Amino acid sequence: MAMSLNNLPDFLLTEILLRLPLKSRVQCKGVSKHWCSLISTPYFTRSVVRHCHTNPHAQPFIMILEYKDKYLSNRLLVINSEPELKFLTAYIYKLRKQLWLEASCNDLLLCLAEHRFDGNRCYYYVINPITKQGLALPPIPKPQSFTITGFIYNNSDNDIVDKQVSFSYRLVMLKVGASEAHIFSSDTGKWSVVGYSKEFQVACFPSSAVPYKGLLLWCGTNGSLLAFDLYNSAGNRCFEIEPPIEWEQLMEQPIERGLMKFIDCLGLGVCQGCLKICQILVQSHICVWEFKDYDNKGGGEWCLQHKVSLKEFVSEKSLWLLLTQSFFITVIGFHPINGDILYLGIRSKVLICNLGRKTLELYCDFPEANHYSASLLFPRKACFFCPGTGGRLLAFDPYIARSCRLIGKPIEYESLGGTDCVGVCQGCLRICQISLWFRLGSVLRVWEFEDYDNGGGGQWFLEHEVFFNQLVSKKSPWLTQYVPLKFPFVTVLAFHPNDGDILYLVIEMKVVLCNLRSKTMEVFCDIPRL
Amino acid sequence: MSNTSENPNPSSSSAKITLKTSDNELFEVEEAVAMKFCTVKQYFEDEKDNDVAARGSSTVIPLPNVHSAVLARLISYCKKLPQSNAVADNHEEEETKKKERKQYGTPGDLVDLISAANYLDFKEGLEFFNQALADHIQNKSVEYVRKFFGIKGDFEPHEEEKYREEYAWAFEGVDED
């Protein structure tokens, strides 16, 4: 019973810490070495994921919508489910100023940059908004026809267990006109082409691809799904999943009745790890099906979960909604955790539709929306960003993605400057400085970098410190004369790749070999004058 | 808190189980409540298998790791369990649950409750008290968490600085201690 806060057993401490929000969890790694190792274990990550699946509040999410505003330009609406995600929302808005958001998969975003100086190619980036890091993909030729892009990365439970597993992703570019898909694999670094049935028509909204158990799925206008199996050892495979049996043909054209227009719609998404599809027949009802798969490879069947007549919906807070419900409706997406909730777009509003309680409530407005043409308002893209999912924060390690890292200068380095050079000798990073300390004589120093983690952390050690007036030159005794007198002309050219004692200098248009151990200098060759 | 206040209504017809705490106090609780504690349930079922005749309140189940004050609180928590354990599905409900958790006592009390709930294998209670403790350190600074748990930071200053630089986003917008 003598248990207190500082001697809680690890398994109980784990149970407490995994209930913290993401930010606090990361902060707590800094409490002590013991906590840091506890929070970094695969067991902890797995426990967090398990906890998130049972508690909707433990898995906050962000909804990203792109739509056309009244100036007909594409605009972003980012909605955070919990206030703690505000910092991410702000970051995504900022990101949007430079990049187009193309797709999302769990906690990573796929962005597209159209380079100002290179109009023929496009540049994709995988961005982790939490750590604010990105990976650049090899540029690809800009497609000439209309394309839709989807993105998926390996996020099965097995991968989370081993955080060393390499980050492997696939990018699929659907060329709608040509009925072919261009697939990029990060494992091979190559693009490949897979054709699909010409009869398959991608639904214009939602056009976003849905990642599900290693498959990337698109919804067709007839309720069937186009699935890409991208983590198959036998190669990329493309197949179709049939629509539910109860699926009713959607009206392709709006029906006009008096001043009202009606149009049916459908939606595809993932909720609690299950694939869901829904259709709204504006004259009658909403149906939601869940996919029960039996082999994790796309085989399975749809089970009807909800069938609710539109007349049954009530709206307590915003009664006017009932008057407009038979207008243009779009399915924005499924709540990632709560299976009863659907997000709908009606006119310039985002609504929460609760199929269990049969309620319809206003969630938020599209700012500066186009009120006149409802069809333009259909969000072009909708994606969900779930920062709690997976162990990406651990596995998508900052060191892997960091492209630029500042290594501090050696302690003895003279800030007054001089001439210096950086190079590698015997696989070790080296830096050399010739100081401009005239009165005390010029000094040549060489430091070697000893890193302790291969990630840029380390220390400089002084290897050599030689005064120029100590140097002798047997074969060309005149050489030493130049050094103190015509100092500015002495520059360090390079390090010998294998011999740590040898430096190449340039003195008076001559390449000079300088041995720091024997303290000798010899002319190596001349630099031809032009 | 004494055990008499926890004694259920004598007229109640449901079966009773007697629990004996570390300080030798006897608690007579309804079977439905006691069965929430998996350790008790296991013990009870084993007893039943061994001796069919020895059933009901005649058996005393010893709980050498639980103090009477803690057990009293666990039992009272058990009794109001059904309404408080429903998953909140909107913000207001979550907020009220948070307030409820906050009223559940000092961190020291919570640790006692957690260790007792763990010993008794009382899942709902463990969940609730763990969350209550987590609420205390949510969005707090590292220094606050260290003080709260009585832990001394053992990182070198440069390691700590490096870490903070690496995860700068996590250190933005921390609540006042």
Side-chain angles (χ1 to χ4, degrees), chain A residues 1 3-9 11-13 15-17 19-36 51 54-57 81-84 87 130-133 317 338 341 354 357 393-394 397-399 402 405 452-453 457, chain B residues 22 64-67 70 87-94 107-108 111-112 114-116 118 126-128 130-131 133-135 137-142 145-146 148-156 158-160 162-163 165-167 169-174:
Chain A
M1 274 304 284
M3 207 187 272
S4 69
L5 276 170
N6 57 8
N7 65 358
L8 275 173
F11 72 97
L12 282 178
L13 194 56
E15 284 294 310
I16 294 161
L17 296 180
R19 288 175 161 76
L20 291 173
L22 179 72
K23 268 171 101 167
S24 291
R25 235 152 52 209
V26 173
Q27 270 200 49
C28 278
K29 280 172 87 171
V31 167
S32 70
K33 284 180 179 166
H34 178 67
W35 278 39
C36 181
H51 176 70
T54 54
N55 186 344
H57 286 277
S81 72
E82 306 279 316
E84 63 164 281
F87 75 106
I130 298 176
T131 57
K132 297 181 183 166
Q133 289 159 334
K317 289 181 199 155
N338 190 334
I341 290 179
N354 190 318
R357 295 181 185 165
L393 186 65
L394 303 167
D397 196 282
Y399 290 133
R402 181 161 288 196
R405 186 170 179 85
Y452 41 73
D453 60 358
Chain B
S22 60
N65 281 342
V66 185
H67 192 268
V70 179
V87 173
D89 66 348
N90 65 39
H91 258 288
E92 294 109 71
E93 279 174 47
E94 178 63 19
V111 170
D112 289 342
I114 287 169
S115 66
N118 177 52
L126 198 56
E127 189 129 310
F128 182 87
N130 278 336
Q131 186 64 56
L133 199 56
D135 287 347
I137 55 168
Q138 189 167 319
N139 292 327
K140 298 290 188 188
S141 67
V142 171
V145 174
R146 277 187 194 143
F148 187 90
F149 277 87
I151 295 172
K152 250 187 113 187
D154 52 359
F155 283 110
E156 300 290 325
H158 75 268
E159 285 175 323
E160 188 149 349
K162 193 179 140 203
Y163 182 79
E165 189 192 308
E166 209 85 82
Y167 294 101
W169 58 269
F171 292 91
E172 293 161 6
V174 172

Side-chain angles (χ1 to χ4, degrees), chain A residues 221-237:
Chain A
T221 47
N222 63 349
S224 65
L225 303 184
L226 185 64
F228 290 92
D229 184 2
L230 303 166
Y231 286 96
N232 193 329
S233 49
N236 295 328
R237 196 164 63 95

Side-chain angles (χ1 to χ4, degrees), chain B residues 54-165:
Chain B
R55 218 191 152 261
S57 53
S58 58
T59 341
V60 175
I61 299 177
L63 300 172
N65 281 342
V66 185
H67 192 268
S68 59
V70 179
L71 187 63
R73 296 194 68 180
L74 278 181
I75 292 169
S76 75
Y77 172 75
C78 245
K79 284 181 180 158
K80 56 169 196 166
L81 195 60
Q83 72 271 19
S84 63
N85 213 49
V87 173
D89 66 348
N90 65 39
H91 258 288
E92 294 109 71
E93 279 174 47
E94 178 63 19
E95 283 305 311
T96 50
K97 278 191 78 177
K98 220 173 199 169
K99 273 193 198 123
E100 195 184 309
R101 285 200 295 263
K102 213 157 205 170
Q103 288 157 3
Y104 234 84
T106 64
D109 293 345
L110 284 170
V111 170
D112 289 342
L113 287 166
I114 287 169
S115 66
N118 177 52
Y119 170 72
L120 293 170
D121 201 1
F122 173 33
K123 294 210 171 54
E124 295 96 331
L126 198 56
E127 189 129 310
F128 182 87
F129 302 126
N130 278 336
Q131 186 64 56
L133 199 56
D135 287 347
H136 278 281
I137 55 168
Q138 189 167 319
N139 292 327
K140 298 290 188 188
S141 67
V142 171
E143 290 72 25
Y144 180 89
V145 174
R146 277 187 194 143
K147 228 169 93 189
F148 187 90
F149 277 87
I151 295 172
K152 250 187 113 187
D154 52 359
F155 283 110
E156 300 290 325
H158 75 268
E159 285 175 323
E160 188 149 349
E161 198 179 306
K162 193 179 140 203
Y163 182 79
R164 277 176 188 262
E165 189 192 308

